[in-house]
Amino acid sequence: MAITVSLVALFGLVLYFLLRSGSLTYGPAFIATGFGFFLASTGAATPINQLTDSVIDALSNL
């Protein structure tokens, strides 16, 4: 749970800076955010969470 909250905060911060710098406009940002919410409610959410946990565990063991 703590990892998920941290990743959400990190991705939110990156999205904020991309919007602020003009590298990303509001339309694509809205679509990317909506895609993330819809993806989280599908069956793909569990494998994505497992993959993320595995990558984080691998990075922490380096």
Side-chain angles (χ1 to χ4, degrees):
M1 177 68 178
I3 292 173
T4 304
V5 173
S6 299
L7 287 176
V8 168
L10 175 68
F11 287 139
L13 189 64
V14 169
L15 181 62
Y16 170 76
F17 283 116
L18 285 173
L19 285 169
R20 187 171 174 193
S21 69
S23 299
L24 184 67
T25 58
Y26 289 102
F30 179 74
I31 291 171
T33 304
F35 176 72
F37 280 115
F38 285 120
L39 184 63
S41 66
T42 65
T46 302
I48 291 171
N49 287 334
Q50 290 173 348
L51 176 66
T52 305
D53 290 339
S54 298
V55 168
I56 290 171
D57 287 340
L59 290 175
S60 67
N61 289 329
L62 290 179

